[in-house]
Amino acid sequence: MSQFDLTGKTALITGSSRGIGLATAHEMAAQGAKIVISSRKQDACDAAAAAINGKYGDGTAIAIACNISDKDGLQNLVNETRKSFGQIDILVCNAASNPYYGPMDGIADEQFRKILDNNIISNHWLIQMVAPEMRERGEGSIILVSSIGGMVSSTTIGAYNISKAADFQLARNLAAEYGPDGVRVNCIAPGIIKTDFARALWENPKLMAHVESSIPLRRIGEPSEIAGAAVFLASDASKFMTGQSMVIDGGTTITGGL
């Protein structure tokens, strides 16, 4: 059996109706996992789950809409997952938001709070709901999708970067707390990926060319190139890894901005 095999595992993935979350759902299903698709809109979740079931077999995926800012909604997501699949073996906290673009001295309080609530507090809530069963069983993998933004400054997405830096520390702290019970907590830190979040970049040829010229691999990433790392962190291939952050950015962070 491959170290990457996920047969018999259930993966709950937030923000999984598109982008990195959807690519991760497909890759984990390909490795044998049962998948819970979740995002804000039920129709989008239904479409994503239907595509996975069509490719990997009926019953592989279910769709449960949830707004990550709603604590009761998150608890319902966990409860319904348990009803359908029995337990949660893998949690991928991928959903996030960024309602503000510009210098931090212009951000409104409600915008800053929304970023912190959706990108940090919601992860904390969901992990608190899922981790106890993992700790009781003595195994489980929790994956936070952060960003290389959490490692650098920005004059336009500073609050978002602050939230992503907090994800790194959340993973480190929880890894230390949960490690004795066999539960691992890690982060993935993507660079610029071709998702809706970066659409303004990759739909602008001039800006895209400028950005790509500064990346050692001379291109931005694809969602599928992040999904493989999520499979690694969910599987036995990474069973001696916890509290770490995997940077997948085409080499962006090694250049010093040059």
Side-chain angles (χ1 to χ4, degrees):
M1 183 179 293
S2 168
Q3 289 189 86
F4 297 92
D5 186 74
L6 299 176
T7 302
K9 304 290 187 182
T10 295
L12 169 54
I13 308 168
T14 65
S16 50
S17 63
R18 60 185 181 180
I20 291 172
L22 180 58
T24 297
H26 274 270
E27 289 296 330
M28 289 189 177
Q31 294 299 324
K34 299 293 187 182
I35 305 297
V36 180
I37 296 289
S38 185
S39 65
R40 288 179 299 167
K41 298 180 179 179
Q42 186 65 49
D43 58 347
C45 293
D46 289 338
I52 290 173
N53 287 329
K55 188 172 183 178
Y56 302 105
D58 288 343
T60 300
I62 60 171
I64 306 172
C66 177
N67 187 329
I68 57 172
S69 65
D70 178 5
K71 190 173 184 179
D72 290 337
L74 289 174
Q75 187 63 65
N76 179 69
L77 171 62
V78 171
N79 293 345
E80 291 301 314
T81 298
R82 289 175 178 148
K83 286 180 184 177
S84 295
F85 292 137
Q87 65 185 44
I88 301 167
D89 304 283
I90 302 155
L91 173 63
V92 182
C93 296
N94 171 67
S97 64
N98 183 44
Y100 175 77
Y101 186 87
M104 287 193 64
D105 62 6
I107 191 169
D109 287 349
E110 59 270 21
Q111 291 172 316
F112 204 170
R113 288 194 181 98
K114 182 174 182 178
I115 291 169
L116 299 181
D117 285 347
N118 285 359
N119 300 0
I120 308 170
I121 302 300
S122 68
N123 289 344
H124 167 68
W125 284 341
L126 191 52
I127 292 168
Q128 280 192 318
M129 295 169 187
V130 171
E133 68 172 271
M134 293 181 173
R135 299 178 77 179
E136 185 176 348
R137 289 196 307 271
E139 64 176 0
S141 177
I142 297 168
I143 303 163
L144 305 177
V145 180
S146 183
S147 167
I148 61 169
M151 302 175 176
V152 297
S153 63
S154 172
T155 58
T156 54
I157 56 170
Y160 175 81
N161 284 4
I162 288 169
S163 73
K164 292 303 181 177
D167 281 336
F168 295 143
Q169 188 59 34
L170 183 60
R172 285 188 287 262
N173 267 58
L174 295 180
E177 292 182 22
Y178 299 168
D181 296 320
V183 178
R184 301 180 296 107
V185 188
N186 291 288
C187 276
I188 298 174
I192 300 174
I193 307 299
K194 194 174 182 180
T195 64
D196 285 347
F197 183 82
R199 183 176 293 276
L201 165 64
W202 52 265
E203 286 189 340
N204 183 326
K206 185 176 180 179
L207 182 57
M208 182 74 155
H210 172 72
V211 169
E212 289 184 324
S213 70
S214 68
I215 300 173
L217 289 183
R218 295 296 188 265
R219 65 179 179 85
I220 65 171
E222 296 289 339
S224 62
E225 294 172 317
I226 306 302
V231 169
F232 168 72
L233 292 176
S235 71
D236 284 348
S238 64
K239 63 184 178 182
F240 196 54
M241 180 175 176
T242 196
Q244 304 304 311
S245 298
M246 293 181 66
V247 176
I248 308 173
D249 67 351
T252 300
T253 52
I254 68 171
T255 66
L258 301 177

